[in-house]
Amino acid sequence: MAGSEETVERAQPSADLVSSVVFDERGLVPCVVQDWASGEVLMLAYMNREALARTLTTGVVHFWSRSRERLWKKGETSGNVLQLRALRLDCDGDALLALVEPAGPVCHTGERSCFHRGDRSCAPHEALPNLARVIAERGARPTPGSYTAQLLADQRRARAKVLEESQEVGRAVADESDERVAEEAADVLYHLAVLMATRGVPLRAALEVLNARRR
């Protein structure tokens, strides 16, 4: 069952990786938390040996609270736990990277990420995750005149648009500017994501297939 600490599937870090962690004079190591599916950075917190051990044992991320001086499971109050998918260690051994599947917003403010202040410009890698969230929102709460909602309600039209846009990007590659190639490719990605959503298949499923083919 999703969210169960006993059944979560995750990669097990090697014993060498765990033994290579360098804790500071307080017995802590910083841990950057990154969304497994989207690559978005979600938060920064600290682990001690007990938090690291509990994280690896349960598959649910635990930290050491410096303000409360105690171990805490992220999401223990809100229910927005972080399921661990992979754990990485930096070159010096003094910082961890936890790749996770969050059960909900990570920030205590209700924001998806704790890094929601300052420049909110979207980086290229955020484009597809943002698109997926917009498509899901249009499907759940259609707005009048929404093109996305119209396509979601008409799979035949969505299929036709993917074929049409694929032909257009092919023509752009042959005869048009680099800018037009990028624009037409963006149209293909958008319409493909919507078409997959009509089947309930997220675009990330295709990305996971690409990753599997690298092996």
Side-chain angles (χ1 to χ4, degrees):
M1 181 175 66
S4 169
E5 296 186 7
E6 289 77 16
T7 61
V8 63
E9 295 181 4
R10 61 191 183 276
Q12 289 291 343
S14 68
D16 287 343
L17 182 148
V18 175
S19 64
S20 298
V21 176
V22 178
F23 295 91
D24 65 16
E25 66 279 0
R26 299 166 296 174
L28 302 176
V29 61
C31 179
V32 176
V33 177
Q34 184 178 14
D35 190 299
W36 169 260
S38 70
E40 295 160 300
V41 176
L42 301 176
M43 65 177 291
L44 170 68
Y46 290 81
M47 290 184 179
N48 61 4
R49 293 183 186 277
E50 183 182 3
L52 177 58
R54 189 71 62 86
T55 296
L56 297 177
T57 300
T58 65
V60 176
V61 178
H62 290 67
F63 297 112
W64 176 259
S65 171
R66 295 175 298 166
S67 60
R68 291 172 287 176
E69 290 289 317
R70 71 171 181 86
L71 186 75
W72 63 290
K73 178 176 77 173
K74 175 62 180 173
E76 62 188 5
T77 301
S78 66
N80 297 331
V81 298
L82 305 175
Q83 298 282 2
L84 183 69
R85 291 298 304 269
L87 187 69
R88 298 174 184 169
L89 185 63
D90 82 338
C91 55
D92 295 319
D94 58 1
L96 289 167
L97 175 66
L99 287 90
V100 306
E101 290 189 334
V106 170
C107 185
H108 71 282
T109 64
E111 293 282 348
R112 174 177 172 76
S113 168
C114 291
F115 295 96
H116 59 85
R117 301 169 66 186
D119 187 349
R120 297 293 296 270
S121 301
C122 290
H125 79 274
E126 295 176 298
L128 292 180
N130 284 335
L131 174 60
R133 287 193 283 270
V134 170
I135 292 172
E137 182 179 342
R138 295 294 185 271
R141 292 178 291 278
T143 57
S146 167
Y147 177 60
T148 299
Q150 293 171 13
L151 289 178
L152 288 171
D154 188 348
Q155 188 185 84
R156 182 175 180 179
R157 182 182 178 189
R159 292 200 309 267
K161 288 300 296 183
V162 169
L163 294 174
E164 176 188 330
E165 298 298 343
S166 298
Q167 292 174 341
E168 289 185 5
V169 75
R171 287 194 292 269
V173 168
D175 301 316
E176 301 182 46
S177 67
D178 291 351
E179 181 180 4
R180 287 294 300 150
V181 171
E183 290 171 351
E184 296 296 349
D187 287 344
V188 171
L189 289 172
Y190 162 75
H191 287 94
L192 178 60
V194 175
L195 178 60
M196 293 179 67
T198 67
R199 280 288 306 271
V201 179
L203 193 57
R204 62 173 282 190
L207 302 180
E208 289 170 351
V209 171
L210 288 176
N211 274 337
R213 289 177 178 175
R214 292 175 50 205
R215 298 170 188 163

